[in-house]
Amino acid sequence: RLSRPGFWLGTLGTMVGYVTVLVALTVLTVLAALMLGSTAASVMAVVTFGVGVLGALGGSLAVLSGAVRRLHDSGLPGALVLLSFLVPPFGWIATAVLLSRSSQQSSNRYGHHPDAR
């Protein structure tokens, strides 16, 4: 189970970290092009793309894991996160609404309340 603030702050942190790394790599790619030529820039572009893809996959898994735990915290099955994939863009809105629901204050079938530990 994961509380609302824990989920939203974790998601924000994941997104900020991802964007920061991509901006830094993009700046390095431009600097490589200006100082070292097009071959170095091409290598840096490939590295930036690879890091971007790996970061997107890792960040997506982290956010999906948090979303499942957040849904469990409000007493809902984690499979509802699939709405965001099956019915875009309405599924995104529905999933965001479900993720914003309040926590169940007592234990539920997914475990104890996060603050009760």
Side-chain angles (χ1 to χ4, degrees):
R1 294 179 58 172
L2 183 63
S3 66
R4 266 190 293 198
F7 171 73
W8 292 112
L9 288 174
T11 300
L12 178 64
T14 299
M15 293 171 70
V16 167
Y18 178 70
V19 169
T20 302
V21 168
L22 284 184
V23 167
L25 286 172
T26 302
V27 168
L28 287 175
T29 302
V30 170
L31 289 175
L34 294 174
M35 295 164 133
L36 304 172
S38 63
T39 304
S42 297
V43 169
M44 282 301 297
V46 169
V47 169
T48 300
F49 178 76
V51 169
V53 168
L54 291 176
L57 288 173
S60 297
L61 289 176
V63 170
L64 283 174
S65 169
V68 168
R69 289 184 292 136
R70 177 71 205 116
L71 289 170
H72 285 175
D73 188 52
S74 59
L76 297 171
L80 287 175
V81 78
L82 296 175
L83 280 175
S84 59
F85 297 106
L86 299 176
V87 196
F90 302 108
W92 301 334
I93 296 167
T95 303
V97 168
L98 292 175
L99 292 171
S100 299
R101 288 176 41 133
S102 61
S103 301
Q104 284 186 335
Q105 295 304 315
S106 60
S107 296
N108 63 20
R109 64 183 176 172
Y110 301 107
H112 299 292
H113 188 274
D115 296 334
R117 295 180 186 163

